[in-house]
Amino acid sequence: VEASIPEPQREAWTKHQVQGFTDKDGFEKEVVRHVETTLARSLYNCDEGAAYSAAALAFRDRLITNWNKTQQRQTFADSKRVYYLSLEFLMGRAMDNAMLNLGLKNVAKDGMQDLGFRIEDIIGQEHDAALGNGGLGRLAACFLDSLASLDYPAWGYGLRYRYGIFKQEIINGYQVEVPDYWLDFNPWEFPRHDVTVDIQFYGNVRKSQDENGKSVAHWEGGEIVTAVAYDVPIPGYATPSTNNLRLWSSKASSGEFDFQKFNNGDYESSVADQQRAETISAVLYPNDNLERGKELRLKQQYFWVAASLHDIVRRFKKSKRAWKEFPDQVAIQLNDTHPTLAIVELQRILVDKENLEWDEAWEIVTSTFGYTNHTVLPEALEKWSVGLFQHLLPRHLQIIYDINLFFLQSVEKKFPKDHDLLSRVSIIEESQVKMVRMAYLAIIGSHKVNGVAELHSDLIQTTIFRDFVTIFGADKFTNVTNGITPRRWLHQANPRLSELIASKTGGYDFLKDLTLLNQIEQYAGDKEFRKEWAEIKYANKVRLAKYIKSTLDVTVNPAALFDVQVKRIHEYKRQQLNIFGVIHRYLALKAMSPEERKKQLPRVSIFGGKAAPGYWMAKQIIHLINNVGAVVNNDPDIGDQLKVIFLEDYNVSKAEMIIPANDISEHISTAGTEASGTSNMKFVLNGGLIIGTCDGANIEITREVGQENIFLFGTLSEDVEDLRHQHNYSNHSIDSNLSKVFEAIQSGKFGEPNDFGAMISAVRDHGDYYLVSDDFESYLDTQKMVDTEYRNQDEWIAKCIRSVARMGFFSSDRCINEYAEGIWNVEPLVVKN
Ligand code: 9GP
């Protein structure tokens, strides 16, 4: 407020307010200006990289006008805001999205052409912003798009990692990790060197009494690291609303050097301090659905939530409202347990800094937070050792103990003498090494807890969080089935399909209300429409085939069935089941006469995905896929009948190319393990069918598209435990097809058999935890049905059209509206142009 311009001088400001370009001429002018001034180049040395930079800067300027308007509107309206706390935002590329959301892609296309460039080439220059591992991070990115598109006043808060998820190279069939340094040129962020927060670590707690005899805690000593804000504008589609994603970067608190040390000649140690501070935001932990309990990770978590809360509280305090109004102004969503410390931090701020009574503060805290659980996998549920907490965050540990004490007292009151219950729900696990259970803390400190698909939400209520349902009642628990943004995952990734749909639905309104897709169902029987549909699919497959040729030098036939499984590599996602199925197909083809072989439906099995660098088994799965590809793709008997492709370095921008080319995609996790999955939604929305298990959102996809339009197979989640039990107590049988696959691997046909011994043993000798052997036969049978049905192309395409028509439910807009109404209690705030 102090820095605002006095009324009499505002006229000059209004007169010169930046409006941003709206037409081709204006765009070209901006590009040329940026090439010549910002980049200090000219028409004599403007390559595609420079052209991208200039176009991106032009769009960034354009976004910032809307961003300013939005932020001013939100500040003046002073209405409730949503804060989405996520350690991951897997944004992908920004420029294409900005052009489409602003409705200026054609302007940019024509403008770039005038200036001598093809827009596709320019878009292709952008480096993905890969600040996430997989589904969880991409969901956060889709949510930001929907929040802005629906005009919700919302901010995302995350970390500005210097290195995003590693780049994957495949060398001799093995995954090799290469650092992803993405910040060389990033026009999409605004450094705010004036927005900083000092964050404390370590030290100790001293207690004193205030004048009223109340005990007061002082957290003293330790070290301070500074958080610096970087803002990323998030444009909504067809609205000026442009929200903010604030990412924090760490630096040493004294600036570049500790001058004291520097002046004393202790240069090395002053640099070391600086580097240690910067390490906090240096790397994204590359694990998906796995927590490893590393101190640096806990440091990252506290650094990020403390900076974010400081920011949120600072903003709230400007309004001079009473503290009890905090939850009317602020809703904070915890994306998984990673930001759970925010609960403790807010309690600390209210009690230690703002002198509120414990109960009053706790009421505010629990009314503010909502917690989304994204997994039931035990290895992904966060626990931190009490010792580590004591060392790193001593005051927070005390507060956690108090939260736990008051909680357990209330449980005891309600369920007297149930000591088992008390130890089961305690935030502190009394194991040999005492642990803090973050998910329990998140539940106790939030007013709503949600899962991300119906089955998953049921499972958390009946298994891992069952006791909490008993204690708090079922109302605290809810489901919000995940969704995806149709802007990126249809309009941007598959422009021709989007155009075809628009031609039949009277324009692009379906991108704002995806249920309007139902209007295309009537064309499922229309020959002409089917033909256009098939042509688009074919063109998308040709594009992918060209990419495969140029990167792997393998020729694939675009007329073959493209069967795609791209996602993080994990035993629970069962890429091993898929590749065993491929080996079975290969052996079957080899056993046929050439005439018979020719009669089979040609198929291209496409894999992609990263393995966590420390996940040995996942890396072996990648290795096996590549080895199988090397044999099959070079076998002259096989030719076009089967190709096996592993696409290197799967990421968001590659997904945008791969997904529109799918005929069928595989979502084949062991039932009850995949919380939701979101790529399943993207694949169907792009006109493909699913082969999948009854898991996660596959179940709701089936409900929406109809079971005649999806290929389901495998064990049901309610039978999984029994089967696992049986495996452990009796010898489970391996069917002969799977045995033959194992024999082929062990014969050395696909490289050194020892490399894959553990993968086979896991299924055959060690209990087959993921039920590969149980599901193998039904998987093969279902794949046979896929082959048969694909031959009837008319009917296949009709199925795809009907499925797309029924996918309206899976828009992240529906999902965000459910959060807004059921969890956040927040209203849209329209920003005028
Ligand atoms: O594994 C889930 C995935 O099924 C879900 O779609 C995604 C978004 O909700 O979250 C993933 N969970 C994690 O990455 C870790 O909890």
Side-chain angles (χ1 to χ4, degrees):
V1 176
E2 311 78 57
S4 90
I5 304 295
E7 205 55 67
Q9 281 77 39
R10 288 191 186 174
E11 206 187 308
W13 285 82
T14 322
K15 191 167 123 203
H16 297 301
Q17 206 163 38
V18 179
Q19 295 301 339
F21 64 88
T22 49
D23 59 12
K24 187 171 68 121
D25 245 27
F27 171 69
E28 289 174 18
K29 203 168 139 194
E30 285 299 290
V31 172
V32 171
R33 180 174 72 81
H34 277 300
V35 168
E36 295 191 352
T37 61
T38 320
L39 307 175
R41 293 201 188 204
S42 72
L43 73 168
Y44 299 109
N45 62 354
C46 183
D47 56 11
E48 284 179 351
Y52 159 70
S53 301
L57 289 165
F59 270 99
R60 180 187 75 163
D61 293 350
R62 185 69 186 69
L63 287 187
I64 223 60
T65 10
N66 286 352
W67 186 93
N68 279 331
K69 261 186 229 160
T70 311
Q71 298 314 312
Q72 278 162 24
R73 173 88 176 99
Q74 291 182 8
T75 306
F76 286 125
D78 196 25
S79 51
K80 188 169 185 176
R81 282 194 177 107
V82 177
Y83 297 100
Y84 196 77
L85 266 55
S86 179
L87 257 193
E88 304 188 8
F89 288 95
L90 191 45
M91 304 297 285
R93 289 176 176 156
M95 191 165 76
D96 202 1
N97 182 245
M99 296 190 306
L100 288 165
N101 279 13
L102 288 166
L104 291 169
K105 182 148 183 191
N106 283 334
V107 163
K109 188 176 164 204
D110 298 346
M112 287 320 285
Q113 198 176 348
D114 282 355
L115 297 170
F117 296 95
R118 276 172 16 119
I119 192 80
E120 302 79 46
D121 301 333
I122 299 307
I123 289 169
Q125 292 292 315
E126 185 174 350
H127 199 110
D128 275 35
L131 307 186
N133 276 285
L136 175 125
R138 184 52 232 176
L139 183 76
C142 283
F143 280 6
L144 291 182
D145 183 78
S146 285
L147 283 161
S149 298
L150 296 167
D151 300 314
Y152 285 109
W155 282 46
Y157 275 108
L159 276 184
R160 178 182 178 268
Y161 302 106
R162 197 154 8 112
Y163 296 93
I165 187 73
F166 63 86
K167 188 171 170 327
Q168 177 194 55
E169 286 181 6
I170 302 294
I171 298 180
N172 297 328
Y174 289 97
Q175 167 175 300
V176 173
E177 299 94 22
V178 179
D180 166 59
Y181 186 76
W182 67 292
L183 288 172
D184 261 351
F185 174 73
N186 179 15
W188 305 105
E189 64 177 12
F190 290 84
R192 303 276 191 202
H193 294 294
D194 54 331
V195 181
T196 62
V197 187
D198 279 350
I199 310 293
Q200 187 178 0
F201 293 103
Y202 310 106
N204 45 57
V205 182
R206 181 174 58 82
K207 292 252 165 138
S208 70
Q209 291 202 331
D210 69 6
E211 58 275 19
N212 303 320
K214 192 180 141 195
S215 158
V216 187
H218 310 268
W219 179 17
E220 295 171 338
E223 74 179 38
I224 303 285
V225 177
T226 301
V228 185
Y230 285 74
D231 287 345
V232 182
I234 307 292
Y237 173 76
T239 164
S241 281
T242 301
N243 281 335
N244 195 31
L245 168 61
R246 177 158 286 180
L247 302 175
W248 297 104
S249 179
S250 59
K251 67 166 196 181
S253 68
S254 51
E256 255 176 79
F257 299 112
D258 179 334
F259 277 99
Q260 198 76 41
K261 284 183 182 168
F262 187 61
N263 290 336
N264 292 340
D266 195 358
Y267 178 75
E268 268 174 44
S269 129
S270 75
V271 174
D273 286 352
Q274 181 204 350
Q275 284 178 343
R276 200 150 46 95
E278 287 177 3
T279 305
I280 294 180
S281 61
V283 285
L284 165 78
Y285 274 88
N287 305 318
D288 182 87
N289 270 295
L290 179 76
E291 282 298 330
R292 295 195 154 234
K294 291 273 197 298
E295 175 172 340
L296 182 60
R297 169 82 164 184
L298 188 59
K299 257 184 135 167
Q300 287 189 332
Q301 294 186 351
Y302 180 64
F303 171 81
W304 149 63
V305 301
S308 308
L309 266 182
H310 184 95
D311 218 33
I312 294 167
V313 166
R314 176 163 63 189
R315 203 166 296 127
F316 172 76
K317 282 174 88 169
K318 274 197 198 160
S319 74
K320 309 257 189 282
R321 290 169 190 262
W323 278 110
K324 67 174 185 335
E325 289 178 52
F326 191 80
D328 304 330
Q329 292 300 103
V330 173
I332 304 179
Q333 193 64 25
L334 306 174
N335 195 26
D336 230 352
T337 52
H338 318 144
T340 302
L341 270 171
I343 289 170
V344 190
E345 177 69 359
L346 183 56
Q347 182 72 3
R348 185 181 78 87
I349 293 173
L350 296 178
V351 172
D352 291 0
K353 305 262 169 214
E354 304 293 338
N355 294 317
L356 268 66
E357 292 299 324
W358 178 277
D359 288 348
E360 193 189 355
W362 187 242
E363 177 63 32
I364 292 169
V365 169
T366 50
S367 312
T368 300
F369 287 98
Y371 157 51
T372 307
N373 171 280
H374 295 266
T375 185
V376 294
L377 297 190
E379 63 270 34
L381 291 176
E382 269 187 294
K383 288 178 193 171
W384 293 102
S385 84
V386 165
L388 176 56
F389 251 106
Q390 173 65 48
H391 179 55
L392 188 67
L393 300 166
R395 177 60 186 141
H396 293 77
L397 183 63
Q398 291 177 345
I399 294 173
I400 291 172
Y401 275 137
D402 285 345
I403 293 172
N404 198 35
L405 176 72
F406 298 134
F407 168 65
L408 292 180
Q409 282 172 349
S410 74
V411 176
E412 162 96 89
K413 230 188 195 165
K414 235 173 153 181
F415 305 91
K417 308 229 159 42
D418 192 343
H419 293 293
D420 271 0
L421 177 67
L422 291 182
S423 80
R424 285 203 306 272
V425 298
S426 170
I427 296 172
I428 308 298
E429 182 181 84
E430 300 289 337
S431 36
Q432 205 165 26
V433 179
K434 276 196 191 177
M435 303 296 267
V436 182
R437 297 154 156 165
M438 300 306 270
Y440 292 6
L441 179 56
I443 296 171
I444 295 164
S446 300
H447 67 286
K448 279 278 179 196
V449 177
N450 74 286
V452 291
E454 276 172 18
L455 173 68
H456 169 66
S457 296
D458 283 350
L459 282 176
I460 61 177
Q461 290 176 53
T462 51
T463 63
I464 52 174
F465 301 151
R466 192 180 51 205
D467 289 325
F468 292 93
V469 177
T470 314
I471 292 165
F472 289 112
D475 279 358
K476 179 162 177 159
F477 294 83
T478 185
N479 171 58
V480 184
T481 299
N482 282 165
I484 55 169
T485 168
R487 273 77 63 179
R488 183 175 294 260
W489 295 112
L490 177 55
H491 194 46
Q492 181 179 322
N494 206 340
R496 282 189 63 194
L497 190 62
S498 183
E499 196 184 337
L500 177 64
I501 293 168
S503 75
K504 295 294 183 196
T505 58
Y508 287 98
D509 285 357
F510 66 93
L511 293 174
K512 278 253 176 194
D513 174 4
L514 201 63
T515 61
L516 296 177
L517 282 178
N518 63 13
Q519 295 172 35
I520 64 164
E521 179 142 7
Q522 55 184 306
Y523 301 102
D526 178 330
K527 253 193 155 156
E528 194 47 41
F529 186 77
R530 278 206 306 252
K531 196 169 147 243
E532 285 178 60
W533 187 281
E535 270 170 21
I536 293 168
K537 175 60 70 182
Y538 191 78
N540 290 335
K541 289 168 74 176
V542 168
R543 180 169 68 150
L544 180 58
K546 277 192 187 147
Y547 178 78
I548 291 171
K549 180 72 189 167
S550 72
T551 51
L552 298 168
D553 198 24
V554 178
T555 307
V556 301
N557 176 4
L561 182 151
F562 279 20
D563 169 345
V564 186
Q565 187 178 21
V566 285
K567 49 181 84 221
R568 287 301 288 252
I569 311 292
H570 208 298
E571 285 164 283
Y572 88 80
K573 295 179 188 279
R574 298 203 295 190
Q575 283 92 352
Q576 70 276 39
L577 175 62
N578 185 346
I579 193 65
F580 293 159
V582 170
I583 295 174
H584 167 81
R585 184 177 288 266
Y586 173 65
L587 298 176
L589 284 169
K590 286 294 274 185
M592 289 173 192
S593 68
E595 296 73 41
E596 207 183 339
R597 210 177 284 141
K598 279 222 180 70
K599 288 190 212 143
Q600 305 305 308
L601 187 82
R603 190 184 273 244
V604 183
S605 278
I606 298 166
F607 294 82
K610 294 174 187 178
Y615 191 172
W616 182 83
M617 186 69 96
K619 288 179 141 177
Q620 289 301 356
I621 294 173
I622 293 177
H623 183 202
L624 179 61
I625 296 168
N626 280 303
N627 282 8
V628 171
V631 172
V632 173
N633 300 343
N634 294 308
D635 187 332
D637 291 348
I638 299 299
D640 266 2
Q641 294 307 112
L642 180 62
K643 290 280 183 254
V644 182
I645 302 297
F646 189 93
L647 292 169
E648 205 173 60
D649 199 39
Y650 178 61
N651 60 15
V652 174
S653 53
K654 297 218 172 95
E656 289 165 22
M657 169 183 58
I658 297 165
I659 292 173
N662 91 96
D663 290 310
I664 190 129
S665 64
E666 307 220 10
H667 309 276
I668 57 176
S669 48
T670 312
T673 62
E674 188 71 277
S676 162
T678 42
S679 75
N680 42 8
M681 304 165 190
K682 296 166 196 165
F683 278 102
V684 179
L685 190 61
N686 280 280
L689 302 182
I690 283 178
I691 177 164
T693 45
C694 296
D695 200 19
N698 286 356
I699 296 173
E700 286 140 281
I701 293 177
T702 307
R703 186 187 68 205
E704 294 294 310
V705 302
Q707 47 187 356
E708 66 287 6
N709 296 318
I710 187 164
F711 298 92
L712 291 179
F713 72 96
T715 307
L716 299 179
S717 79
E718 57 261 38
D719 300 325
V720 167
E721 271 318 304
D722 275 355
L723 279 171
R724 281 184 181 155
H725 193 76
Q726 282 173 34
H727 292 175
N728 285 330
Y729 290 98
S730 58
N731 267 340
H732 70 292
S733 60
I734 305 282
D735 83 75
S736 70
N737 281 323
L738 187 55
S739 295
K740 281 183 196 142
V741 168
F742 289 168
E743 281 161 26
I745 296 171
Q746 283 166 327
S747 76
K749 214 189 251 321
F750 306 110
E752 172 55 44
N754 284 335
D755 286 354
F756 311 114
M759 203 188 301
I760 294 174
S761 286
V763 175
R764 201 184 46 196
D765 317 315
H766 300 306
D768 192 12
Y769 188 77
Y770 298 103
L771 312 189
V772 171
S773 57
D774 303 88
D775 288 351
F776 193 62
E777 208 181 312
S778 64
Y779 176 66
L780 294 184
D781 291 345
T782 311
Q783 285 286 22
K784 255 192 216 147
M785 279 168 56
V786 172
D787 284 337
T788 311
E789 293 203 18
Y790 192 75
R791 286 178 186 280
N792 184 348
Q793 270 294 296
D794 275 350
E795 185 45 30
W796 182 276
I797 293 165
K799 276 173 186 265
C800 295
I801 296 170
R802 282 186 209 111
S803 300
V804 173
R806 298 172 189 178
M807 284 298 283
F809 179 76
F810 298 100
S811 168
S812 46
D813 294 349
R814 183 266 313 149
C815 189
I816 285 300
N817 280 327
E818 285 182 20
Y819 276 99
E821 211 186 300
I823 299 177
W824 303 330
N825 191 23
V826 62
E827 300 282 336
L829 180 71
V830 175
V831 180
K832 293 209 181 71
N833 246 326

